[in-house]
């Protein structure tokens, strides 16, 4: 009797067995029902995040003065300031973008519409903020700021008063040596509206001193060579002691409070802003 082969148990395994119609339908359904929704959710979350970031920031135009013009790389730049949208946040953003300017920004004052503002002052979208680094000594010309040669004779005429028994004139000039280097020129720049206002305030404060009758200050702007006068202070008072003291006080106040910057040029071809003192950023 012929030997019979055993009957196979179950369906034989086939390496290239295709998916059955039902399995293929279920697989396609899973793709349609889950993966597109997950991708859409991811996209929506990403868009929502970007929207939050954009709404959280405001656009500010920055006008850097003095050494900040070099450190921040231009006359103006646009900065997107995060919440809480104040001057501190602006300074933090600039420090992040320009780490080399960090130490200067710590001593920098801010101004909006030619008025100094505090570090906690809120900023508005689209505003322009002037950044004023420590001052170093100090459009049409004015009687206090000019790019023309200074005129001490006119200051003497303006302050003339027969009640005065003493007159003191202080003049500051560009010198040939500074910080152990030979100077070829100094470029004086200023925030004109704030400088003009500060000089007028100083004149009024000096006149309030005992026995002082008149005070006038004039400062030169632009590039000056050694030997050229950069500033004059004229004081008239009843007696010489008051005149000498008032003249010293006036020039000290100019160097501390007037936003004027000095960029020195040297014979070795280098240049450097003269270190100065930080302006008071709190409004008075």
């Amino acid at each position: 009797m012929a030997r019979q082969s055993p009957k196979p148990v179950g369906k034989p395994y086939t390496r290239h067995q295709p998916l059955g119609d039902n399995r293929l339908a279920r697989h396609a359904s899973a793709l349609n029902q889950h993966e597109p929704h997950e991708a859409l959710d991811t996209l929506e979350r990403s868009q929502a995040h970007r929207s939050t970031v954009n709404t959280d920031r405001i656009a500010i135009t920055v006008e850097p003065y003095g050494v900040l013009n070099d450190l921040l790389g231009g006359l103006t730049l646009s900065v997107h300031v995060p919440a809480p949208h104040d001057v501190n946040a602006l300074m933090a953003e600039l420090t992040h973008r320009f780490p080399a300017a960090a130490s200067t920004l710590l001593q920098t004052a801010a101004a909006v519409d030619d008025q100094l503002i505090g570090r906690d002052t809120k900023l508005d979208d689209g505003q322009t903020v002037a950044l004023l680094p420590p001052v170093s000594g100090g459009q049409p010309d004015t009687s206090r700021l000019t790019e023309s040669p200074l005129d001490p004779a006119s200051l003497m005429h303006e302050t003339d008063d027969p009640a005065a028994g003493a007159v003191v004139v202080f003049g500051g000039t560009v010198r040939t040596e500074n910080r152990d280097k030979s100077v070829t020129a100094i470029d004086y720049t200023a925030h004109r509206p704030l400088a003009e206002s500060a000089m007028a305030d100083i004149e009024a404060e000096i006149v309030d001193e005992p026995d002082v009758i008149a005070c006038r200050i004039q400062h030169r702007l632009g590039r000056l060579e050694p030997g050229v006068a950069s500033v004059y202070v004229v004081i008239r008072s009843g007696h010489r002691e008051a005149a000498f003291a008032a003249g010293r006080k006036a020039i000290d106040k100019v160097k501390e409070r007037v936003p004027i910057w000095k960029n020195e040029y040297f014979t070795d071809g280098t240049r450097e802003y003269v270190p100065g003192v930080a302006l008071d950023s709190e409004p008075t």
Side-chain angles (χ1 to χ4, degrees), residues 144-164:
R144 297 184 179 90
L145 293 169
T146 178
E147 294 188 8
S148 302
L150 299 180
D151 186 5
S154 68
L155 301 181
M156 293 283 288
H157 178 72
E158 287 179 41
T159 58
D160 191 22
D161 192 320

Side-chain angles (χ1 to χ4, degrees), residues 169-184:
V169 179
F170 170 82
T173 59
V174 177
R175 58 181 180 269
T176 56
E177 299 285 332
N178 194 26
R179 291 174 288 177
D180 299 321
K181 299 179 78 172
S182 297
V183 177
T184 61

Side-chain angles (χ1 to χ4, degrees), residues 143-144 150-161 164 166-172 199 202-204 206-207 212-219 231-237 242-251 254:
S143 62
R144 297 184 179 90
L150 299 180
D151 186 5
S154 68
L155 301 181
M156 293 283 288
H157 178 72
E158 287 179 41
T159 58
D160 191 22
D161 192 320
V167 57
V168 165
V169 179
F170 170 82
M199 292 167 77
I202 292 169
E203 289 174 350
I206 296 300
V207 170
V212 175
I213 296 170
C215 171
R216 283 289 284 110
I217 306 167
Q218 191 176 56
H219 208 296
V231 62
Y232 276 112
V233 175
V234 174
I235 303 290
R236 289 189 185 271
S237 67
F244 282 120
R248 171 120 194 188
K249 184 173 289 188
I251 192 61
V254 168

Side-chain angles (χ1 to χ4, degrees), residues 81 84-94 108-112 117-123 129 131 281:
V81 180
H85 308 147
D86 57 10
V87 175
N88 278 321
L90 170 62
M91 297 297 188
E93 184 68 18
L94 287 170
T108 292
V112 171
I117 59 175
R119 287 276 178 141
D120 57 352
T121 300
K122 297 290 184 183
L123 302 174
V129 178
L131 296 185
S281 61

